[in-house]
Every structure is written in C-alpha cells, then in structure tokens.
Amino acid sequence: MEAIRKQASKLREQVAKQQQDVLKQFVGGSDNVESCETEIQQSDKLEKLCISTRAAKHFQRDIVRGIEGLIVTGSKQIEIGTRLSEDGQKYGSENTCTSGNTLSNVALTYSKARAQIEKEHENLLKLLRTQVTEPLRDMIVRSPLEDARRLAKRYDRVRQETESQAIDVARCQSRARDTNINSENMLKLEAAERKLYELKSNMLTLGKEASAAMAAVESQQQRLTLHRLIAMVEAERAYHQRVLQILDKLELEMLSERQRGETTTSPAGSYEGSTDGLGYFLGEVIHPYRAESDAELTLAVGDYIVVREVRNDGWAEGECKGEAGWFPYGFIVRRKRIPATEVAQVF
C-alpha cells in the first residue's frame, strides 16, 4: 500500500510538471509562468484536501458501522442477561431448601446485581448511539462536505477547460506569426484570449473557494472524530468501573451469605465464641480485604490470622501482625486449632 501511494505521488508530480511545461511553452512570459505555478500548487493542495477528507469520511463510516455492530450484539447480551436475572429472581422467590435458604438468598442477590449490570449496559449503548454514532453520521451526510466536493469538481472542470483554451490561444498565436494575419483572425485571437482570461479568473476564484471549503471540512472532521472517540472511551471506561463496583459488592454479599449458611449448619462449638473451652484457630487469608473502619482488619492474601470469634452474620474477629479487628469470615480458610494458651506463640 505504501509503495502504491509513493507511485501515485510521483505520477502526480510528473503530470504537474508536464502541465507546467506545456503552459510555459504556449503562454510564455514571467508573469504567466508564475501564475501557472500558483495554479498548479493550488490544484495540488486541493487534491490533497480531497484525499484527506475522503479518508476521514471512510474512517467515520467505519466507526459508525462498528458501534452499530456493538449495539446489535450488546442488545442481545442485555436480553440474555435480563432473562438470567429474571430466572434468579424466580428461583429465589419460589424455592427453599431444608438445609437453609442460602442459595435462594444468593439467587435474589445475584438477580438484583445482574439487573443493575444490564441497566448500565443499556445506558452505555444509548450513550454510544447519541454521543458517537449520531454526530458522526450527521457529519458524513451533511451538506458542507458535499458542497465542498461540488466546488472542487467545478474547479477541476474549469481548470481543464482553461488548459484546453490556453492551448487553442497558443495555436492561434503560432498561426498569426507564421502567416499574414487578417482582421477576422485577429478578432478570433482576441476573443480566444478574452475567454482564456475569464476562465483563468474563474479558476482562481473557484480554487480559493474550494480550498477554503475543503480545509474547513477537514478541520471539522478531525476535531469532531477525535472528540467522539474520546467520548466513546470515557463512556466505556465509566461503564466498566460501575460494573466492577457492582461485582465487588455482589461477591462480598455472596461470600457473606455462604459464610452465614456454613455457620448455621455447623456445630456451634466448632466455630463460634472464644470462651467455648476449645481454643482459637488459625486462618489463612484467601481473598484480600481493605478495612473500612478502625474496628476492621486489612487482610492480604497469604496472611495468617488468629481467629477468636465468628458471628452468625458472617463476620469474624481476630489478630494479624499485631493488629486486632473484624473481617469477613468468608475471606479466610481454616487451617488448624490453636489452644488459647499458645496464641501468643503464633506471631
């Protein structure tokens, strides 16, 4: 692709040089040569603007198509997730178990969290549609770009007509030098030169207008597309952050519910109380936990903690690295029992 672009650029330079040589040969004069060079530079600038705006338009269209695909698949995912939420709600509301209601409670908790996630997903898709897709699509089909393109095409037609007229004038001048020119031929030459002058004036005016219009469109394309891409990234980032918060809270609630179920079905003397005569036990941290108050413990995976009390609400109290406090019992796993008289020797 890079080789093709280089070859095309080289070809454009060759064509421009040939056009300049032809006009120099037939028109002559330093002023006309400078004018031709200016026109060629303007034509080259306009061509580059056309290429740039066309590429930006295609990129905008690719973004719109991509987001439309995300919206279609996302809508299907929302439909499936909503159905799963409803199934969890139905099970949690209609079913119980002889060994406890842990799974029913977890199902209700999961159903609520899943509904929140799908709501956030739906909001994300709406935001992508309104803040990204619609502005870009409007930019693609709006009149400024088409108006600028029409001006560029008009300029190109007038430029070609001007080049043709310049060659005709040069031929008339050549014939006038080779033969005795009569009044009729002189009138034809003057008419041809007037037409060439008018065409050049029109070409210059159209070139400036088309270049200005294309430059304005290019600037707007660059600015709008960049802003919409940033908006898309910010929207997705905010969505994933909110989903992560929901999942963190859901996990903690599910672990606590599981611990409450295990505490309820286990012999009371095996887990609860620090004065049951059986002593404390050692626990290993399997999930990190950050304390939210001075009464709680911050835990890191791999830490060992002396557990002194476990409550029915899923919280436990113990000591780790010289600090004492409360923590979610479901965040540790029991390793072995420690007699109360030997606790001081553990850490």
Side-chain angles (χ1 to χ4, degrees):
M1 182 62 71
E2 184 65 24
I4 295 176
R5 281 197 292 266
K6 290 181 179 179
Q7 185 177 0
S9 177
K10 185 177 180 180
L11 182 60
R12 284 196 301 271
E13 293 176 358
Q14 292 175 350
V15 171
K17 188 175 183 302
Q18 291 173 358
Q19 290 174 342
Q20 186 174 1
D21 292 340
V22 169
L23 292 177
K24 284 180 180 179
Q25 178 181 354
F26 287 108
V27 178
S30 60
D31 293 341
N32 287 332
V33 170
E34 292 178 0
S35 176
C36 290
E37 291 176 349
T38 301
E39 292 164 2
I40 290 172
Q41 291 174 358
Q42 182 172 260
S43 176
D44 185 60
K45 177 183 178 181
L46 186 57
E47 182 180 3
K48 291 179 179 178
L49 284 169
C50 289
I51 294 173
S52 174
T53 53
R54 187 184 304 113
K57 178 180 179 180
H58 290 166
F59 182 46
Q60 289 175 333
R61 185 179 291 123
D62 291 339
I63 295 174
V64 170
R65 289 173 178 171
I67 295 178
E68 287 175 344
L70 290 176
I71 292 175
V72 171
T73 56
S75 299
K76 186 63 177 179
Q77 291 174 342
I78 292 174
E79 180 183 344
I80 295 172
T82 300
R83 189 180 304 120
L84 181 57
S85 174
E86 294 172 350
D87 291 340
Q89 174 71 28
K90 180 179 180 180
Y91 177 85
S93 301
E94 299 178 358
N95 293 275
T96 57
C97 179
T98 56
S99 59
N101 297 328
T102 300
L103 181 57
S104 296
N105 294 338
V106 167
L108 290 173
T109 303
Y110 176 80
S111 173
K112 180 180 178 181
R114 173 53 61 182
Q116 292 175 338
I117 291 174
E118 301 311 331
K119 184 62 177 178
E120 294 293 343
H121 198 174
E122 184 178 1
N123 292 337
L124 171 65
L125 298 184
K126 288 180 180 179
L127 192 147
L128 292 179
R129 181 184 297 108
T130 58
Q131 295 193 14
V132 183
T133 302
E134 292 178 358
L136 288 179
R137 184 184 291 112
D138 181 62
M139 179 68 183
I140 292 171
V141 301
R142 278 178 58 190
S143 59
L145 177 58
E146 295 305 317
D147 291 343
R149 285 184 171 184
R150 281 193 289 269
L151 280 174
K153 290 179 180 179
R154 285 177 58 193
Y155 166 78
D156 190 58
R157 287 194 299 268
V158 172
R159 183 176 60 84
Q160 293 177 6
E161 189 176 354
T162 301
E163 292 173 359
S164 177
Q165 185 65 22
I167 294 174
D168 289 341
V169 169
R171 288 173 179 171
C172 290
Q173 291 173 344
S174 177
R175 285 195 297 268
R177 288 193 298 266
D178 294 339
T179 62
N180 293 325
I181 188 169
N182 54 36
S183 59
E184 182 179 356
N185 290 335
M186 179 61 72
L187 291 174
K188 290 182 179 179
L189 176 58
E190 291 175 353
E193 288 176 341
R194 283 196 302 271
K195 182 178 181 181
L196 176 60
Y197 178 79
E198 293 174 357
L199 287 172
K200 281 188 174 182
S201 298
N202 291 338
M203 182 178 68
L204 181 61
T205 301
L206 280 174
K208 291 180 179 180
E209 292 178 357
S211 295
M214 276 293 183
V217 170
E218 181 189 53
S219 177
Q220 188 178 14
Q221 283 180 329
Q222 297 291 311
R223 184 175 61 256
L224 177 66
T225 306
L226 175 60
H227 289 174
R228 293 311 93 198
L229 282 174
I230 292 174
M232 179 173 65
V233 171
E234 290 176 345
E236 291 186 299
R237 181 174 178 271
Y239 161 73
H240 289 295
Q241 286 179 334
R242 288 192 291 268
V243 169
L244 181 59
Q245 292 173 355
I246 295 172
L247 292 175
D248 285 343
K249 181 180 178 182
L250 172 62
E251 182 185 28
L252 180 59
E253 292 177 351
M254 294 175 75
L255 290 173
S256 298
E257 185 64 38
R258 182 183 69 178
Q259 183 55 44
R260 282 194 292 270
E262 292 175 350
T263 302
T264 301
T265 57
S266 300
S270 298
Y271 293 93
E272 295 187 17
S274 59
T275 59
D276 58 359
L278 298 179
Y280 305 153
F281 64 87
L282 184 67
E284 180 182 356
V285 178
I286 58 175
H287 296 288
Y289 178 74
R290 182 176 294 276
E292 297 181 357
S293 69
D294 294 339
E296 298 180 6
L297 274 179
T298 295
L299 306 178
V301 175
D303 285 348
Y304 284 89
I305 183 168
V306 177
V307 183
R308 297 185 293 208
E309 180 180 356
V310 179
R311 298 192 314 201
N312 288 333
D313 61 0
W315 285 82
E317 192 274 339
E319 183 175 348
C320 178
K321 298 179 181 179
E323 300 289 335
W326 294 88
F327 57 90
Y329 182 62
F331 283 46
I332 68 168
V333 61
R334 181 170 178 165
R335 291 307 184 197
K336 64 179 180 179
R337 186 177 302 280
I338 306 174
T341 57
E342 300 180 8
V343 170
Q345 302 177 10
V346 175
F347 298 100

